[in-house]
């Protein structure tokens, strides 16, 4: 079975879609396409992680690569090591998905996600391997005529020094500052950061109450973490904590909770960080990169402060590409991916949490105050519309109707917008509206749903 690359690697049901056979082939393809004689591999806490790691490692070793297995680590820690030591990296994780899924994310040497060109070459090489033509082609296009044998077969070793080194690098991002006097609640999603994240925040001086840091192989993201912050919200209020942070299963995203128990999402965290960085002269070109799903309130707040907003399609890889192309220093997604490109090559939930908490400490203001002043969220309604037929060209067909609905939302000095986005992976069309009131947003979404159904039926 073959899986295609999505916006964040290969992902599917472990042992059914993402099989050991596929993982073995992925390892062989990675060795040929990414090149180099050494790979580092991390994984999250899913039961299937060791199974996939074993097969992937075997594939790499069969191509003559030296494989260093890092054990359970956050995705950004693997990216950090890939960047620091300039070697290809692999993370075995399905991020915020339920435990039955798993995935494989690849980093090119230097800790960068794969480009479209590299992904295309990767898929081509994978198809060649799965077709039974074991010879394949090398990273430069040359034919590989013989597989390694004897001493040329790669070895597989365990490596245990990375968690501490990664933690030191995150702490070093604050210079000589710390997070003293902060009392935080930290939800680790029973995931990859269950050990390393509490140690980092405590090492910086914070008092930390930890939730969901007892992974059993099956409870990753289960009613916890960034997609289920309800327990964190209750805990922050009941414990009278200053704030809370919720990571996802592989710790590349984070959302926060203020002392009132109010959720502070990725848009708000980016807004806080953008204004803080701009005030210190650290926001390059006074520009921030976000996706089309970012709340309109964010855009209005940034424009009011004289900051430019660049918009990409959904997916942190597209934010990363725009950051790199423009040389900008901050970007992210509403879901909680924050990318501080001067500090990391990918989204890092722990690092992002540290940066936001640093702003709280330096300003002497609560997270609630910073969030309230950074932006005002407009009511947002998002719905998925199931479609049976092809929805190619749908947005063009609905352009006039979309324009009319959006014009209605912007009458009489009010502000609003709508978005129609066919899914690239599911038979659904996502429709979203933002408006001055929830009722107006709901009405706009209903009109959009009816329009989509008319066109697709």
């Amino acid at each position: 079975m073959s899986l295609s690359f999505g916006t964040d690697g290969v992902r599917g049901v472990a042992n059914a879609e993402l099989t050991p056979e596929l993982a073995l082939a992925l390892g062989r393809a990675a060795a040929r396409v990414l090149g180099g004689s050494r790979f580092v591999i991390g994984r999250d806490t899913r039961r299937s992680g060791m199974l996939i790691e074993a097969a992937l490692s075997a594939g790499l070793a069969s191509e003559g690569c030296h494989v260093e297995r890092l054990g359970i680590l956050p995705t950004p820690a693997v990216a950090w090591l890939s960047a620091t030591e300039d070697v290809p990296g692999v993370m075995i994780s399905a991020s915020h998905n339920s435990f039955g899924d798993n995935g494989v994310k690849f980093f090119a040497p230097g800790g960068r996600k794969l480009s479209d060109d590299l992904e295309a070459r990767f898929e081509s090489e994978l198809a060649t391997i799965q077709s039974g033509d074991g010879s394949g082609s090398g990273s430069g296009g040359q034919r590989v005529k013989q597989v390694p044998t004897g001493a040329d077969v790669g070895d597989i070793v365990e490596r245990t020094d990375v968690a501490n080194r990664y933690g030191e690098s995150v702490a070093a991002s604050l210079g000589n500052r710390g997070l003293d006097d902060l009392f935080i609640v930290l939800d680790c999603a029973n995931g990859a950061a269950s050990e390393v994240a509490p140690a980092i925040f405590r090492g910086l001086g914070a008092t930390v109450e930890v939730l969901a840091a007892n992974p059993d192989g099956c409870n990753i993201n289960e009613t916890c973490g960034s997609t289920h912050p309800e327990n964190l919200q209750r805990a922050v209020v009941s414990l009278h904590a200053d704030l809370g942070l919720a990571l996802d299963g592989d710790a590349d995203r984070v959302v926060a909770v203020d002392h009132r128990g109010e959720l502070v999402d990725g848009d708000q965290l980016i807004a806080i960080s953008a204004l803080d960085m701009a005030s210190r002269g650290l926001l390059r070109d006074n520009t921030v990169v976000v996706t089309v799903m970012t709340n309109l309130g964010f855009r209005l707040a940034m424009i009011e402060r004289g900051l430019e907003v660049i918009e990409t399609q959904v997916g942190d890889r597209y934010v990363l590409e725009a950051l790199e192309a423009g040389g900008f220093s901050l970007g992210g997604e509403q879901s909680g991916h924050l990318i501080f490109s001067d500090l990391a090559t990918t989204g890092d939930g722990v690092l992002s949490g540290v940066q936001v908490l640093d702003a709280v400490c330096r300003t002497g203001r609560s997270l609630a105050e910073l969030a309230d002043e950074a932006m005002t969220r407009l009511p947002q309604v998002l719905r998925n519309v199931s479609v049976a037929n092809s929805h190619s060209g749908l947005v063009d067909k609905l352009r006039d109707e979309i324009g009319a609905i959006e014009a209605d939302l912007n009458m009489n000095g009010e502000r609003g917008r709508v978005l129609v986005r066919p899914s690239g992976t599911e038979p659904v069309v996502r429709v979203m509206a933002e408006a001055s009131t929830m009722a107006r947003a709901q009405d706009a979404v209903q009109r959009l749903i009816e329009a989509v159904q008319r066109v697709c039926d």
Side-chain angles (χ1 to χ4, degrees):
M1 177 174 289
S2 176
L3 290 178
S4 296
F5 280 80
T7 59
D8 204 17
V10 175
R11 191 176 298 184
V13 178
N15 209 35
E17 297 172 331
L18 182 54
T19 62
E21 294 81 3
L22 177 56
L24 180 76
L26 283 168
R28 294 178 64 193
R32 298 176 184 182
V33 173
L34 298 183
S37 59
R38 176 172 158 242
F39 276 73
V40 296
I41 302 179
R43 58 183 170 86
D44 69 19
T45 57
R46 293 164 211 270
R47 177 177 292 177
S48 60
M50 287 184 285
L51 178 152
I52 296 168
E53 179 187 60
L56 187 70
S57 299
L60 288 164
S62 75
E63 294 288 324
C65 294
H66 171 73
V67 180
E68 297 177 0
R69 301 201 299 199
L70 312 178
I72 294 172
L73 275 182
T75 291
V78 177
W80 169 83
L81 185 65
S82 172
T84 301
E85 300 188 354
D86 198 32
V87 295
V90 191
M91 180 65 187
I92 300 168
S93 174
S95 190
H96 58 280
N97 286 31
S98 60
F99 88 95
D101 292 341
N102 217 325
V104 182
K105 307 178 186 182
F106 292 94
F107 295 98
R112 304 285 181 184
K113 292 194 175 185
L114 305 190
S115 65
D116 289 340
D117 177 63
L118 268 179
E119 284 193 353
R121 290 169 54 197
F122 210 123
E123 288 186 337
S124 175
E125 190 66 50
L126 182 62
T128 297
I129 292 169
Q130 292 181 312
S131 72
D133 180 3
S135 59
S137 59
S139 60
Q142 72 275 16
R143 300 298 288 179
V144 179
K145 297 179 179 178
Q146 290 184 322
V147 296
T149 58
D152 292 330
V153 173
D155 60 342
I156 302 171
V157 301
E158 309 296 323
R159 183 170 172 182
T160 60
D161 65 315
V162 181
N164 286 339
R165 291 180 58 205
Y166 163 72
E168 290 168 357
S169 76
V170 172
S173 70
L174 297 191
N176 295 322
R177 298 186 302 277
L179 303 176
D180 300 329
D181 301 325
L182 275 185
F183 173 27
I184 71 169
V185 183
L186 181 63
D187 182 338
C188 297
N190 290 315
S194 292
E195 291 189 13
V196 67
I200 289 172
F201 285 101
R202 286 171 176 148
L204 286 167
T207 299
V208 184
E209 178 73 19
V210 181
L211 305 179
N214 295 294
D216 62 10
C218 301
N219 61 358
I220 187 170
N221 300 314
E222 184 179 10
T223 64
C224 59
S226 62
T227 54
H228 297 282
E230 299 83 11
N231 289 336
L232 176 64
Q233 290 173 289
R234 287 189 287 269
V236 168
V237 173
S238 65
L239 294 171
H240 304 289
D242 294 309
L243 56 93
L245 296 173
L247 304 166
D248 70 336
D250 69 334
D252 66 351
R253 64 171 70 177
V254 65
V255 297
V257 172
D258 67 26
H259 71 278
R260 305 168 299 190
E262 297 291 328
L263 185 67
V264 181
D265 70 8
D267 287 347
Q268 294 164 294
L269 295 176
I270 298 166
I272 291 169
S273 300
L275 297 178
D276 178 63
M277 292 173 67
S279 71
R280 296 188 288 149
L282 299 178
L283 188 67
R284 196 166 299 116
D285 293 338
N286 280 336
T287 298
V288 60
V289 180
V290 294
T291 77
V292 294
M293 293 304 297
T294 294
N295 193 272
L296 177 58
F298 175 92
R299 294 169 173 80
L300 298 176
M302 296 301 102
I303 292 170
E304 183 180 339
R305 276 30 174 250
L307 304 184
E308 183 176 350
V309 178
I310 291 178
E311 188 177 277
T312 76
Q313 60 183 300
V314 175
D316 66 322
R317 64 170 292 181
Y318 301 112
V319 175
L320 281 161
E321 288 173 0
L323 287 169
E324 186 170 357
F328 306 124
S329 50
L330 178 67
E333 295 187 283
Q334 189 180 82
S335 60
H337 283 119
L338 275 72
I339 303 164
F340 294 84
S341 60
D342 291 335
L343 302 174
T345 61
T346 190
D348 186 334
V350 179
L351 175 68
S352 299
V354 166
Q355 299 307 306
V356 172
L357 267 59
D358 180 46
V360 170
C361 289
R362 281 187 288 98
T363 61
R365 311 189 71 188
S366 69
L367 178 63
E369 290 176 296
L370 293 178
D372 289 346
E373 291 188 7
M375 62 174 282
T376 300
R377 289 181 53 82
L378 269 68
Q380 184 183 84
V381 178
L382 174 66
R383 296 285 185 271
N384 290 336
V385 185
S386 297
V387 292
N389 301 320
S390 171
H391 42 62
S392 61
L394 175 66
V395 175
D396 286 336
K397 295 174 184 176
L398 293 177
R399 196 167 301 281
D400 290 344
E401 192 141 12
I402 290 171
I405 295 171
E406 200 159 70
D408 288 345
L409 294 178
N410 285 276
M411 291 177 60
N412 303 318
E414 296 187 9
R415 300 301 298 268
R417 71 177 184 120
V418 300
L419 179 68
V420 177
R421 186 173 70 88
S423 170
T425 58
E426 303 173 84
V428 300
V429 176
R430 309 193 198 284
V431 298
M432 184 270 286
E434 294 168 339
S436 55
T437 67
M438 181 60 72
R440 286 175 62 78
Q442 290 171 335
D443 177 68
V445 161
Q446 185 57 40
R447 291 170 62 185
L448 287 170
I449 291 173
E450 293 170 359
V452 169
Q453 290 172 334
R454 281 198 306 272
V455 171
C456 293
D457 288 345

